[in-house]
Amino acid sequence: MKATVMGTGYVGLTTGAMLAQFGHKITCIDIDERKIDQLNMGQVPFYEPGLDALVKKHLNKNLKFSTGLQSIVNSKVVICAVGTPPNQDGSPDMSYVLAVAQQLIPYLKRYKVIVIKSTVPVGTKKIIQDYLLSQGVHRSKFDIVSNPEFLREGTAIHDSFYPDRIVIGSDSQRAVSLTYSLYQQCECPVLITSNEGAEMIKYAANSFLATKISFINELADICEKYSVDIEEVARGIGYDKRIGLHFLKAGVGFGGSCLPKDLSGLIYLADKSGIDPKVLRSVSHINAERPYQVVNKLKNVLGSLENKKIAVWGLAFKPETDDMRFAPSIPIIKQLVEEKAKVYAFDPVAANNAKPLIPECVKISNDMYEIARDSDAVVIVTEWDLFKNADLSLLKKVMKYPVIIDGRNIFSPADMKLQGFNYYGTGR
Ligand code: UDX
């Protein structure tokens, strides 16, 4: 099938590459010329393991890139995968989605399915439909499908080829069938819902995941007070199938482009409808406090942080990505700087993206041991494998004091004690 994907971020590009692999003829469009030039040279503008290879494999065959809209003419399906970043009040910025709807108007002379993959609030399908009708587009020329994406950064390729489920929300059987035929090769449950149901499912999924994380983080604080290991507790409850083992890693809190944004989006929707979302608000509140707890822990160990040299290991909001959106490292570093610590930071891929987001006085280095030299403490913020496999005897040798604050529980407390570190994990 011929399809056009609007937006070449994580979702748009991964979806485009996957559909190309499935044998569809895909054109990915973006307004950013530099990005399109890069993609046409086979370069992915962000770090996502495996995506480069997949794009290169299909480039100029099943997969094309363009800033022009020409491919829409012959596309049966147009997939909207543009961003919906959060506004100040927590609501999503819908301007990019609406711009896509506007761009489609001249092309809706022949029937097309508009598949909305961007995360959008409940009611968006109706807003777009009403808008197109108000612009003189005939109702018979389009259907709108709400088809949320659940891929995670860092494992985007795997998540797209092997999704846990596919949600197709539409009131048109014809549109459902066309959308389904895009994904036919995925072996997973396919859920056909209303548009509004699909829109809500995405917010609900991410807010539930966020709730699991804030729950385990609160539990971690309680465990710490009673000298119980949160990792044991997480496993102990996680083997209960009703709870599940995933998303029970205590740490410095959730970041990234989706969980914080969708949680605020759902809170905003609830508020607007007159519901006070108490659970969701607590989830957000607990998460906002996590970075300060790391700094407080450090202060409890070292006393005043003034002029103390602190090495921060990890900047990206999670491993295997260079994404810094809502990364917990940002508030942690800002707080350390406020406490007048001398902050050094290292990340294997996110350093360049981090620079404009953290205070200029922070020295970013490309050597994780060098930043630890003569340091008073190392704070682990992102659980990169590189850190898990660190040469601990070298680390101990270069540090002034062997203090480790492990915000991601990547080491075993017993092993670290044996190695001679003053090790402080999270919730253990
Ligand atoms: C998330 C959703 O998982 C995905 O389905 C959706 O499509 C987009 O949003 P992503 O933001 O890429 O994906 O990352 P995810 O793996 O969900 O992690 C989000 C944050 O939660 C990270 O900061 C991570 O460190 C944190 N996290 C995750 C925890 O602190 N503990 C956990 O147990 C899991």
Side-chain angles (χ1 to χ4, degrees):
M1 194 194 305
K2 282 192 177 134
T4 296
V5 180
M6 315 275 279
T8 58
Y10 288 93
V11 171
L13 193 54
T14 309
T15 304
M18 171 192 75
L19 294 177
Q21 170 78 18
F22 285 167
H24 303 296
K25 301 276 177 213
I26 305 298
T27 305
C28 293
I29 295 179
D30 204 291
I31 48 170
D32 187 335
E33 273 181 33
R34 221 168 48 103
K35 233 174 165 185
I36 293 297
D37 288 346
Q38 259 182 294
L39 286 164
N40 273 323
M41 290 187 292
Q43 292 160 9
V44 173
F46 48 84
Y47 181 83
E48 180 60 46
L51 190 53
D52 261 81
L54 198 61
V55 166
K56 278 199 185 95
K57 181 175 170 196
H58 296 291
L59 184 61
N60 294 328
K61 289 169 226 151
N62 279 355
L63 187 59
K64 298 203 166 114
F65 296 99
S66 176
T67 51
L69 303 176
Q70 196 51 33
S71 64
I72 298 174
V73 177
N74 292 318
S75 292
K76 275 191 190 157
V77 173
V78 179
I79 299 173
C80 171
V82 292
T84 49
N87 289 318
Q88 282 294 339
D89 62 1
S91 66
D93 175 357
M94 295 297 292
S95 57
Y96 303 103
V97 173
L98 294 173
V100 166
Q102 192 180 20
Q103 284 173 319
L104 290 178
I105 294 168
Y107 299 92
L108 295 174
K109 305 236 159 49
R110 265 194 295 169
Y111 176 80
K112 293 192 195 308
V113 176
I114 304 167
V115 174
I116 304 194
K117 236 181 204 310
S118 307
T119 302
V120 292
V122 177
T124 299
K125 173 256 176 183
K126 184 166 170 0
I127 291 173
I128 294 176
Q129 182 168 307
D130 290 349
Y131 168 72
L132 292 174
L133 296 177
S134 76
Q135 298 302 301
V137 179
H138 197 271
R139 182 66 192 86
S140 63
K141 298 298 176 197
F142 72 95
D143 277 313
I144 298 175
V145 168
S146 309
N147 172 225
E149 178 53 59
F150 302 101
L151 62 80
R152 291 162 299 174
E153 290 177 25
T155 50
I157 302 278
H158 176 272
D159 293 351
S160 326
F161 281 96
Y162 307 100
D164 287 343
R165 80 305 208 179
I166 291 172
V167 176
I168 302 180
S170 179
D171 49 18
S172 150
Q173 188 47 50
R174 182 184 184 189
V176 168
S177 302
L178 269 168
T179 308
Y180 178 68
S181 58
L182 282 175
Y183 299 114
Q184 241 165 14
Q185 292 169 58
C186 290
E187 283 174 21
C188 68
V190 177
L191 208 68
I192 315 291
T193 67
S194 64
N195 288 86
E196 292 72 20
E199 289 167 345
M200 184 57 100
I201 284 167
K202 177 62 191 265
Y203 275 111
N206 276 349
S207 296
F208 188 74
L209 293 173
T211 304
K212 271 188 112 172
I213 299 170
S214 278
F215 173 81
I216 204 74
N217 282 339
E218 183 165 85
L219 202 63
D221 290 346
I222 304 170
C223 282
E224 215 164 285
K225 293 284 180 208
Y226 288 93
S227 301
V228 174
D229 187 338
I230 189 67
E231 298 284 320
E232 286 177 3
V233 177
R235 273 195 301 278
I237 62 173
Y239 277 112
D240 183 327
K241 286 193 185 68
R242 293 168 301 173
I243 297 174
L245 282 161
H246 298 288
F247 274 69
L248 287 181
K249 281 290 291 177
V252 294
F254 57 81
S257 67
C258 291
L259 263 49
K261 169 176 78 82
D262 296 349
L263 179 64
S264 329
L266 191 51
I267 291 173
Y268 180 84
L269 272 183
D271 279 339
K272 221 172 78 175
S273 71
I275 303 275
D276 178 18
K278 297 184 192 69
V279 171
L280 301 177
R281 256 194 249 289
S282 299
V283 169
S284 171
H285 185 67
I286 291 169
N287 199 54
E289 283 181 344
R290 295 311 287 171
Y292 304 103
Q293 276 183 323
V294 175
V295 178
N296 284 342
K297 201 173 268 181
L298 202 52
K299 278 162 77 179
N300 285 340
V301 180
L302 297 180
S304 162
L305 299 182
E306 190 164 350
N307 284 323
K308 301 270 163 66
K309 179 176 175 181
I310 311 297
V312 174
W313 276 11
L315 293 165
F317 83 94
K318 66 181 219 176
E320 299 304 327
T321 180
D322 60 357
D323 199 340
M324 283 295 295
R325 283 176 287 179
F326 290 92
S329 63
I330 302 170
I332 291 176
I333 287 175
K334 283 188 176 160
Q335 188 63 26
L336 289 173
V337 168
E338 208 152 281
E339 300 283 341
K340 299 195 173 63
K342 292 186 278 180
V343 184
Y344 290 68
F346 167 84
D347 189 283
V349 301
N352 282 340
N353 289 347
K355 264 184 204 146
L357 301 172
I358 56 178
E360 265 179 55
C361 59
V362 175
K363 296 188 181 57
I364 299 186
S365 159
N366 55 10
D367 187 329
M368 63 193 239
Y369 299 104
E370 214 29 62
I371 64 162
R373 186 173 296 284
D374 299 323
S375 65
D376 294 270
V378 167
V379 180
I380 299 165
V381 179
T382 316
E383 65 276 35
W384 285 98
D385 280 346
L386 194 66
F387 303 151
K388 292 182 186 166
N389 302 322
D391 180 342
L392 293 175
S393 59
L394 172 61
L395 179 63
K396 182 150 177 282
K397 212 169 356 166
V398 296
M399 291 178 74
K400 186 156 102 193
Y401 300 111
V403 173
I404 306 261
I405 306 287
D406 186 351
R408 296 290 188 176
N409 286 345
I410 65 173
F411 295 121
S412 123
D415 287 354
M416 294 306 273
K417 198 170 167 200
L418 263 179
Q419 300 248 13
F421 284 99
N422 293 349
Y423 174 80
Y424 302 87
T426 304
R428 51 205 329 211

